[in-house]
Amino acid sequence: MTKPERNERRRAMQFRGGPPPEAADTEATVRWLRDRALIKDLYARYAYGIDSVDMELVRSVFHPACVVVGTLEEGSLDDGVLMYDATMHFKGNQYVEINGDNGFVETWVIGYHMEAAGSPIDSLVLALRYQDEVVRIGDDWKIIRREAAEQWHTGPFPRPFIGEPPYPRRPRDPDPAGDPSSG
């Protein structure tokens, strides 16, 4: 039997994960477990922030110097969230690698991006692998670089521009600090 050929998306996948510390080193094991939990929690906080349009929570997972590469559509993060009537993100597998104060986490995600009733555009379902380089900041971790690798999608992506929507969009929440330019 011949080995099946992997397509381009599957050839691009490379497993990254790290072994735990020696079992006898309790202190290192507890720190490793805590670090893994904090790193894995970054995506949960991000997804909850996106789905609830809590941009302060979304921003809390990113280092101020973070670079994002991948499938983002044009526009600000705030505008991207508000272009849909609702979103719901599900997290699947996560693979974590820790090397001192640096780390990596790959999170497999399915995001549902729902259009409002009456929209002429189909809703979007997008499967991604977020590949996040992370750094320790004090007792927390932050994403310093994110690459989003698309696995597949249904619905229009990127979204077609058809002008102003003929259906209502949620109004932008006022910024509690009074700065209308922030989300």
Side-chain angles (χ1 to χ4, degrees):
M1 181 173 194
T2 62
K3 185 175 180 181
E5 181 74 19
R6 297 187 320 157
N7 65 25
E8 181 180 339
R9 284 190 177 122
R10 290 181 173 169
R11 282 192 303 272
M13 295 168 54
Q14 294 184 355
F15 177 77
R16 286 179 65 179
E22 293 294 323
D25 189 342
T26 305
E27 184 176 334
T29 299
V30 169
R31 182 175 179 93
W32 181 79
L33 289 169
R34 182 181 189 282
D35 286 343
R36 286 177 57 85
L38 290 171
I39 290 169
K40 286 182 170 190
D41 188 54
L42 290 170
Y43 181 77
R45 289 172 30 210
Y46 168 80
Y48 192 89
I50 289 291
D51 293 339
S52 66
V53 193
D54 181 344
M55 301 316 293
E56 186 176 328
L57 182 59
V58 170
R59 287 184 188 93
S60 76
V61 305
F62 293 102
H63 188 281
C66 183
V67 173
V68 178
V69 178
T71 63
L72 292 176
E73 295 189 66
E74 190 173 328
S76 74
L77 183 58
D78 297 344
D79 294 336
V81 170
L82 292 174
M83 75 171 47
Y84 296 102
D85 188 54
T87 60
M88 184 175 286
H89 290 76
F90 289 93
K91 164 178 70 172
N93 298 333
Q94 284 189 300
Y95 306 100
V96 178
E97 177 182 59
I98 301 170
N99 185 9
D101 292 339
N102 296 294
F104 172 83
V105 58
E106 181 172 72
T107 305
W108 291 49
V109 177
I110 296 178
Y112 295 85
H113 305 76
M114 307 312 293
E115 287 291 332
S119 171
I121 303 173
D122 289 335
S123 294
L124 170 68
V125 180
L126 187 59
L128 299 172
R129 291 181 293 115
Y130 283 122
Q131 299 163 323
D132 295 333
E133 299 289 337
V134 297
V135 294
R136 185 189 313 272
I137 305 293
D139 289 332
D140 200 4
W141 290 83
K142 301 285 184 187
I143 299 169
I144 189 80
R145 179 179 174 82
R146 165 169 280 179
E147 289 195 30
E150 181 188 346
Q151 287 296 104
W152 54 265
H153 72 273
T154 62
F157 187 76
R159 294 169 46 82
F161 180 75
I162 58 172
E164 290 301 314
Y167 48 89
R169 292 280 192 210
R170 287 181 289 169
R172 182 178 291 235
D173 293 331
D175 181 90
D179 179 4
S181 66
S182 66

